Amino acid sequence: MADWYLWAWILCSTMTLVVLRGSVLKRRKGNGISATRGESVRRVLAGNGECRSADGSDADVIVVGAGVAGSALAHTLGKDGRRVHVIERDLTEPDRIVGELLQPGGYLKLIELGLEDCVEEIEAQKVFGYALFKDGKHTRLSYPLENFHSDVSGRSFHNGRFIQRMREKAASLPNVRLEQGTVTSLLEEKGTIRGVQYKTKDGRELTAFAPLTIVCDGCFSNLRRSLCNPKVDVPSCFVGLVLENCHLPYSNHGHVILADPSPILFYPISSTEVRCLVDIPGQKVPSIANGEMTNYLKTIVAHQVPPEIYDSFVAAVDKGNIRTMPNRSMPASPYPTPGALLMGDAFNMRHPLTGGGMTVALSDIVVLRDLLRPLRDLNDGPNLCKYLESFYTLRKPVASTINTLAGALYKVFSASPDQARKEMRQACFDYLSLGGVFSTGPISLLSGLNPRP
């Protein structure tokens, strides 16, 4: 079996290199301007192209979307003295079943951005690592936090509560303006994005202008086609449940069950609630309306969850608040566009198995903040464009590491009738179960604690 440990690690490394090489080649191919840009970009500007908003006030940056990425970005740029206009489709508290686990590396970025208090007063739970389950065996994989302050760990929480705290933090700055509205198109003049057209909450059609527009409108973005090659893959769907008043086998840990056909996740999102995410491969899931989903969860899934939480799982299924969410994956393949930038899930997605999305987004914001700080005048178009192109290179160490591991581990952790993949799955579990350096290396990579492997 020792040979299998070695082969598992070699194969994982090979997969990583293959995926990285593929992503680099894709980026090299995609430097043109999108042929479909006309679908969402309107040429409505003429004359001197002044950067002035509809109500007459100036903005340095327009941020489209106020989710995790948009809110954190608005606060960060606002703290640096930028005048920021945030336009968000719906400013009420979101209700999602993903975006609830922040890795320790992401928490460190939150500290760097001065946003660590956003995980306070929302019943966020500290997370110290993972528990891995397979065929009745289990092992604990701890984050390597020995060299960090005692407050540093992962955090899990209700996504909506976290986002509302971030929005409040951004809106507290006098030079940040949050407005509810739906951006319908980007405004382009001579190849440069000058602002946006949007519809307000009361139905008015307005325009807003700024030298830089940053699109952070999430995985359902209707603007990304203008700014990148939106090759979105949907490898699976998550089925979400909330278990109440149950005790996980390992407190303050995320639980990953290597189930058939694919992984099941459990992690706390408050002091009394545990999120369960059941992964179902493909884009079609059993119907909730006609009872197929309930039957699937009780007959296929329930017997594979740890016995300590079996009753709570069945009770959650019977309660019936079952939600589904497609798991999207999209490489970062931008069209460098003067005056505009994509960030967050509108720009780059990976399978959410490892919970790395918010860590990548917050890391990207730190990179962009540091890039823009020396550039006081964002109206200097050519200089701004040069700085923004550097962003794509500087973000790679963190983003590529987390993206690659998310895809590779999802493949390795999913069941397969292929004998070689079965043995590799077992070897990966056995290898990580050895602990020590055998687990701290991979865990430090996927948690964002080792951003430059």
Side-chain angles (χ1 to χ4, degrees), residues 321-341:
N321 186 21
I322 302 171
R323 310 265 302 280
T324 63
M325 174 78 180
N327 291 326
R328 292 170 171 81
S329 179
M330 186 180 79
S333 184
Y335 305 131
T337 305
L341 190 70

Side-chain angles (χ1 to χ4, degrees), residues 170 299 369:
T299 59
R369 177 201 65 183

Side-chain angles (χ1 to χ4, degrees), residues 3 20 30 39 64 81 108 117-118 129 136 145 197 216 239 267 310 313 316 331 345 352 392 413 416 422 438 443:
D3 289 342
L20 280 172
E39 297 172 9
V64 181
L108 287 172
D117 57 347
C118 289
L145 300 172
Q197 184 162 9
C216 309
V239 178
Y267 50 88
Y310 174 88
F313 178 82
D345 282 348
Y392 301 120
F413 283 175
S416 171
K422 282 184 181 179
F438 302 100
I443 296 301

Side-chain angles (χ1 to χ4, degrees), residues 160-226:
R161 296 176 188 173
F162 180 57
I163 285 176
Q164 290 302 86
R165 290 280 286 149
M166 301 269 271
R167 288 172 176 174
E168 291 166 8
K169 189 91 170 176
S172 69
L173 298 176
N175 51 327
V176 175
R177 173 189 172 203
L178 260 69
E179 181 179 11
Q180 184 162 307
T182 301
V183 174
T184 54
S185 60
L186 301 174
L187 304 179
E188 183 184 65
E189 179 190 27
K190 298 178 182 178
T192 297
I193 301 301
R194 298 295 188 185
V196 300
Q197 184 162 9
Y198 67 104
K199 184 177 289 188
T200 65
K201 186 179 180 181
D202 57 9
R204 291 178 299 148
E205 293 271 0
L206 296 179
T207 54
F209 304 129
L212 178 59
T213 297
I214 304 178
V215 176
C216 309
D217 56 349
C219 63
F220 297 106
S221 174
N222 63 349
L223 301 176
R224 66 159 65 102
R225 288 185 178 277
S226 308

Side-chain angles (χ1 to χ4, degrees), residues 101-107 109 355-364 398 402 446-449:
L101 177 63
L102 180 65
Q103 297 288 356
Y107 182 70
K109 296 299 178 184
M358 290 188 287
T359 297
V360 171
L362 294 170
S363 173
D364 283 352
V398 173
I402 292 175
L446 68 86
S447 64
L449 292 172

Side-chain angles (χ1 to χ4, degrees), residues 116-182:
E116 66 272 23
D117 57 347
C118 289
V119 297
E120 297 173 2
E121 301 176 9
I122 60 171
E123 276 201 280
Q125 304 295 298
K126 288 189 174 184
V127 179
F128 297 111
Y130 296 93
L132 203 60
F133 292 74
K134 185 180 185 298
D135 300 331
K137 297 180 179 180
H138 50 88
T139 187
R140 181 167 61 180
L141 311 172
S142 298
Y143 294 133
L145 300 172
E146 299 80 9
N147 297 324
F148 295 95
H149 186 274
S150 60
D151 187 53
V152 176
S153 68
R155 293 291 194 282
S156 53
F157 38 67
H158 279 269
N159 171 270
R161 296 176 188 173
F162 180 57
I163 285 176
Q164 290 302 86
R165 290 280 286 149
M166 301 269 271
R167 288 172 176 174
E168 291 166 8
K169 189 91 170 176
S172 69
L173 298 176
N175 51 327
V176 175
R177 173 189 172 203
L178 260 69
E179 181 179 11
Q180 184 162 307
T182 301

